[in-house]
Amino acid sequence: MTYAAYFESRRDEQLNELSDWLKIPSISALSEHKKDVLTAAQWLADTLKKAGLEHIEIHPTEGHPVVYADYLHAPGKPTVLVYGHYDVQPVDPLNLWTTPPFEPNIRDGKLYARGATDDKGQVFMHIKALEAILKEEGTLPVNIKLCIEGEEEIGSVHLPPFLEAHKDLLVADAVLVSDTALLERGRPAICTGLRGLCSMEVEVTTASTDLHSGTYGGAVPNALHALVSLLSSLHDDKGRIAVDGFYEGVPELSQVMREEFAKQGIDEEKIREGLGLSALYGEEGYTFVERVGARPTLELNGVYGGFQGEGTKTVIPKQAHAKITCRLVGDQNPQHILDAIEAHLQSHIQPGAKVHVRQVEKAFAFNSDPSNAFLQLAADAYGKVYGTRALFTKDGGSIPIMESFSRILKAPVVLMGFGLNDENLHAPDEHFNLENFDKGLLTIVEFLKSAGTAELAAE
């Protein structure tokens, strides 16, 4: 039986099985769902056992557990470590879901549920691909390890220590990850770069209490005015970040890199129209895809303070707040960036106001070499199934743990995703296009089989 026939004959059964996993509200960010996260981990462990994997263990951490499994019966062949996550994002606002987020529903060739594309659906494909090879051939063409965590959606806080503590257990020749997207339908891509991340919360304070705007207006500092002025100083009028030292470690875009970005054929006008914008905006001198894939950012994610209720309240607020995140590239150091922004804010605050900063997230950017043999085999595998070889791209998003895998395990990371960018991950009506579920299964099988026959020396 061909693998295409194998998966077709089991499609309904496998989608029902995936739906059972998607019904579990494994929201790692919310403490009331801690038991659900553990239930999802146990479901995963049970499913790995049924698929034929071995040495399955649920490893506790100080947060949510890591699920490990392996199948190591291919001496002399490479070892591939599959990484993914079984936790999901919160579902708010609930009223914007067409069907309940934890009641999986298939319509128009798409599976709707929280976690359908990010990342349960994509992890599930790896399990089923491995199960298929074991059933059809009795063994695997490479050595396989799986490391599936439950904290990716809250920054993988406890996974780096786990990797450090279990380096011998997790040692591999390549790390295989499906948590990214195709360029568009029918156009596969392998991401060779992810931006890093850092974040902070900013509070501006003035008087000891809110003040009457008639009695004090025009004569005392206003926390909102001070904050707005402060935030506007972070960029110049050409979209460039105006913080001293911010661009340290940012590589210049070479002509070769610009040509690679151009190959993606991104239609900026189509993007503008699709977003309902009158114009795109960003750092001057770069295209949309260059800004997203290769340039750092400083974004305001929330600004609030003062009276928020209905009507008017003539008050001078004593406090104002902002949330800031930065996407980082190249060798930018997130701690240096946070310190530089904090120094900028302190030096630009209006007289009479004080600024307080709480530094939060820190993650380095990730980059991989597209000439690596494993990445080339992955591109070929896409080509055989999709009919077009994968392009090598850089993604504007962040998966902080990718840098940790690359650094700690010293193995190339193959970001072999099967999602689409319009599948509402992190938003209401998250879904997974089943066309890519079907093709993804075949692509994973093709990659593993080719990795087992290629001239790749196992370490």
Side-chain angles (χ1 to χ4, degrees), residues 115-134:
T117 188
D118 182 25
D119 185 36
K120 287 179 179 176
Q122 299 201 55
V123 169
F124 184 78
M125 288 194 300
H126 285 275
I127 301 171
K128 291 300 150 181
L130 294 169
E131 180 182 69
I133 299 173
L134 284 169

Side-chain angles (χ1 to χ4, degrees), residues 14 16 54 116 156 166 168 194 203 221 231 243 321 326 340 405 411:
Q14 291 182 350
N16 287 334
E54 300 174 342
S156 301
H166 296 84
D168 292 341
L194 292 161
E203 179 186 61
L231 298 179
V243 174
H321 307 265
C326 300
F405 270 111

Side-chain angles (χ1 to χ4, degrees), residues 83 152 156 177 179-180 194-195 327 363-364 366 397-403 415:
Y83 163 79
E152 195 275 343
S156 301
V177 183
D179 195 15
T180 50
L194 292 161
R195 291 194 285 192
R327 300 287 181 170
F364 285 87
F366 160 77
S398 304
I399 308 178
I401 199 62
M402 291 302 98
E403 187 273 339
L415 286 164

Side-chain angles (χ1 to χ4, degrees), residues 242-306:
V243 174
D244 287 345
F246 186 90
Y247 288 94
E248 290 180 14
V250 177
E252 289 301 319
L253 268 179
S254 67
Q255 186 59 37
V256 171
M257 290 179 66
R258 290 196 142 166
E259 289 171 359
E260 286 297 310
F261 279 120
K263 287 179 183 177
Q264 296 183 30
I266 300 298
D267 186 338
E268 293 195 5
E269 186 63 14
K270 182 178 179 181
I271 293 172
R272 182 194 66 75
E273 291 179 354
L275 296 174
L277 293 168
S278 60
L280 297 177
Y281 177 79
E283 188 180 2
E284 189 175 276
Y286 298 92
T287 65
F288 175 89
V289 69
E290 289 169 350
R291 290 169 181 163
V292 170
R295 299 299 294 171
T297 68
L298 189 159
E299 300 284 2
L300 308 181
N301 308 120
V303 178
Y304 52 99

Side-chain angles (χ1 to χ4, degrees), residues 8-76:
E8 184 177 0
S9 69
R10 292 164 171 79
R11 189 174 193 263
D12 291 343
E13 173 191 336
Q14 291 182 350
L15 289 176
N16 287 334
E17 191 175 0
L18 172 57
S19 293
D20 288 339
W21 200 19
L22 293 170
K23 290 175 183 177
I24 303 171
S26 51
I27 304 171
S28 55
L30 302 178
S31 59
E32 61 262 36
H33 287 285
K34 185 169 184 173
K35 288 185 179 179
D36 296 315
V37 177
L38 184 57
T39 299
Q42 186 62 60
W43 186 98
L44 173 60
D46 294 342
T47 302
L48 290 167
K49 183 176 181 180
K50 287 187 289 185
L53 279 300
E54 300 174 342
H55 306 117
I56 299 155
E57 187 171 354
I58 298 176
H59 290 266
T61 71
E62 292 185 18
H64 301 301
V66 174
V67 180
Y68 173 84
D70 63 34
Y71 193 89
L72 307 174
H73 299 285

Side-chain angles (χ1 to χ4, degrees), residues 57-348:
E57 187 171 354
I58 298 176
H59 290 266
T61 71
E62 292 185 18
H64 301 301
V66 174
V67 180
Y68 173 84
D70 63 34
Y71 193 89
L72 307 174
H73 299 285
K77 299 296 183 179
T79 297
V80 176
L81 173 67
V82 176
Y83 163 79
H85 64 94
Y86 62 87
D87 64 319
V88 300
Q89 282 277 325
V91 297
D92 309 89
L94 192 59
N95 64 300
L96 295 183
W97 287 80
T98 304
T99 52
F102 297 110
E103 295 180 17
N105 182 268
I106 295 176
R107 53 186 188 272
D108 300 323
K110 303 171 184 178
L111 174 60
Y112 285 81
R114 174 59 90 223
T117 188
D118 182 25
D119 185 36
K120 287 179 179 176
Q122 299 201 55
V123 169
F124 184 78
M125 288 194 300
H126 285 275
I127 301 171
K128 291 300 150 181
L130 294 169
E131 180 182 69
I133 299 173
L134 284 169
K135 286 184 180 296
E136 290 294 289
E137 304 185 29
T139 190
L140 297 178
V142 295
N143 299 294
I144 284 288
K145 299 177 180 180
L146 295 100
C147 175
I148 314 298
E149 68 157 322
E151 295 187 328
E152 195 275 343
E153 299 294 5
I154 53 174
S156 301
V157 178
H158 298 105
L159 191 55
F162 179 85
L163 297 181
E164 292 281 8
H166 296 84
K167 279 190 289 190
D168 292 341
L169 176 69
L170 299 172
V171 64
D173 297 293
V175 180
L176 180 60
V177 183
S178 293
D179 195 15
T180 50
L182 281 68
L183 275 176
E184 59 186 13
R185 184 179 177 185
R187 295 188 68 202
I190 296 173
C191 178
T192 63
L194 292 161
R195 291 194 285 192
L197 179 71
C198 63
S199 66
M200 62 168 50
E201 297 175 0
V202 178
E203 179 186 61
V204 168
T205 60
T206 51
S208 58
T209 184
D210 288 352
L211 299 171
H212 189 287
S213 68
T215 304
Y216 293 97
V220 297
N222 180 311
L224 277 173
H225 290 182
L227 179 64
V228 170
S229 174
L230 192 60
L231 298 179
S232 70
S233 73
L234 292 170
H235 293 83
D236 66 20
D237 58 4
K238 295 183 178 180
R240 187 173 172 85
I241 297 157
V243 174
D244 287 345
F246 186 90
Y247 288 94
E248 290 180 14
V250 177
E252 289 301 319
L253 268 179
S254 67
Q255 186 59 37
V256 171
M257 290 179 66
R258 290 196 142 166
E259 289 171 359
E260 286 297 310
F261 279 120
K263 287 179 183 177
Q264 296 183 30
I266 300 298
D267 186 338
E268 293 195 5
E269 186 63 14
K270 182 178 179 181
I271 293 172
R272 182 194 66 75
E273 291 179 354
L275 296 174
L277 293 168
S278 60
L280 297 177
Y281 177 79
E283 188 180 2
E284 189 175 276
Y286 298 92
T287 65
F288 175 89
V289 69
E290 289 169 350
R291 290 169 181 163
V292 170
R295 299 299 294 171
T297 68
L298 189 159
E299 300 284 2
L300 308 181
N301 308 120
V303 178
Y304 52 99
F307 178 62
Q308 305 290 313
E310 183 179 356
T312 300
K313 182 181 182 183
T314 53
V315 64
I316 299 173
K318 68 170 186 174
Q319 290 180 336
H321 307 265
K323 294 179 182 288
I324 296 174
T325 57
C326 300
R327 300 287 181 170
L328 311 178
V329 301
D331 294 324
Q332 282 183 295
N333 184 309
Q335 184 62 62
H336 169 75
I337 296 300
L338 289 171
D339 291 343
I341 297 171
E342 183 168 352
H344 177 97
L345 296 174
Q346 294 291 355
S347 65
H348 286 75

